[in-house]
Amino acid sequence: MAFEDDAFERMHKIMTDGKSAMMENMNRVHRGEPAVMRALAIKGECTPSQLADATGNSPGRISAILSALEKKGLVTRAIDPDNRRHVIVRITPEGKRLVKLHKKAMDDRMRWVFGQMGERRTEQFLDLLTRFITYMSLCGPDDPVPDEAAIAKAFERAGIPYDPAADRVNVTPITAHNTSGGRHPGGMPDDAPSPTHPAA
């Protein structure tokens, strides 16, 4: 197995492991009550359908979350006077206070993690994460394979130097226009003619 295939499998396992306490915590933060509260704190007021779209929850799940939050006195729901078919959801002052407390708690936990990792590993992690995200920004499902100029420009926008890995391997992504994919040392599709050996 090529190293990039092994890395992909390891990343997939890390991110999808159902037993991962970290992923369970992240799902609660990004899709449960905290996510709804955070969206309301930012937007001020929303309809339930807007909250469902913003948090990735189903309408039924949003209804259950709002009922729980309303019972706790953290949100209010009222009929929209301009359109009586719509419900307007607003966060209460107590809800805003809890959002601030929750954000501080999450920030403190992140600082704790960085403290455990130490300065050197934290710097390495942040540098590699920035590089990973920069490369991913060039990988839309229908985007062409970026050339060196496009990669360098993306890194310039990210504010980091572009220094390609000495042992990098170019893997041809599968796109709507290329359904074969492949691993090619020169970064060309498997069926592309070689620049030194053109197709007859």
Side-chain angles (χ1 to χ4, degrees):
M1 177 183 291
F3 87 87
E4 65 271 17
D5 296 325
D6 179 58
F8 177 81
E9 293 296 330
R10 290 171 61 191
M11 173 73 83
H12 187 268
K13 179 175 176 54
I14 290 168
M15 299 305 294
T16 61
D17 188 352
K19 298 179 181 179
S20 168
M22 184 204 79
M23 292 308 298
E24 290 179 8
N25 289 337
M26 293 294 286
N27 285 335
R28 282 201 300 270
V29 168
H30 292 294
R31 301 194 67 178
E33 291 183 8
V36 172
M37 296 280 288
R38 190 166 57 251
L40 286 170
I42 293 171
K43 296 177 181 296
E45 61 181 42
C46 294
T47 65
S49 62
Q50 289 171 334
L51 287 171
D53 290 340
T55 60
N57 285 291
S58 67
R61 175 64 177 150
I62 280 292
S63 180
I65 290 173
L66 292 178
S67 293
L69 291 175
E70 193 171 31
K71 287 180 181 178
K72 297 174 184 176
L74 303 178
V75 304
T76 62
R77 288 186 284 186
I79 300 297
D80 185 349
D82 298 326
N83 186 341
R84 299 191 63 80
R85 292 178 299 176
H86 289 170
V87 171
I88 299 296
V89 184
R90 296 182 178 89
I91 191 169
T92 65
E94 176 63 10
K96 290 180 180 179
R97 186 184 72 83
L98 287 182
V99 167
K100 290 181 180 178
L101 285 177
H102 185 266
K103 181 181 184 305
K104 184 179 185 309
M106 292 302 296
D107 291 350
D108 287 346
R109 282 166 173 74
M110 189 67 74
R111 292 187 180 93
W112 179 85
V113 171
F114 289 148
Q116 298 301 303
M117 291 171 62
E119 184 175 0
R120 180 179 61 84
R121 288 179 176 173
T122 296
E123 287 295 333
Q124 291 175 338
F125 167 75
L126 294 175
D127 177 70
L128 292 173
L129 179 62
T130 303
R131 293 175 184 278
F132 180 84
I133 291 173
T134 301
Y135 281 118
M136 286 298 296
S137 72
L138 298 168
C139 294
D142 295 317
D143 291 343
V145 178
D147 57 19
E148 289 295 297
I151 299 173
K153 192 164 187 62
F155 272 73
E156 182 181 351
R157 287 195 301 268
I160 55 176
Y162 175 48
D163 51 342
D167 60 345
R168 71 173 176 171
V169 175
N170 287 324
V171 179
T172 304
I174 294 176
T175 69
H177 306 294
N178 167 30
T179 56
S180 62
R183 187 173 188 267
H184 194 288
M188 298 180 297
D190 290 339
D191 56 355
S194 165
T196 56
H197 297 85

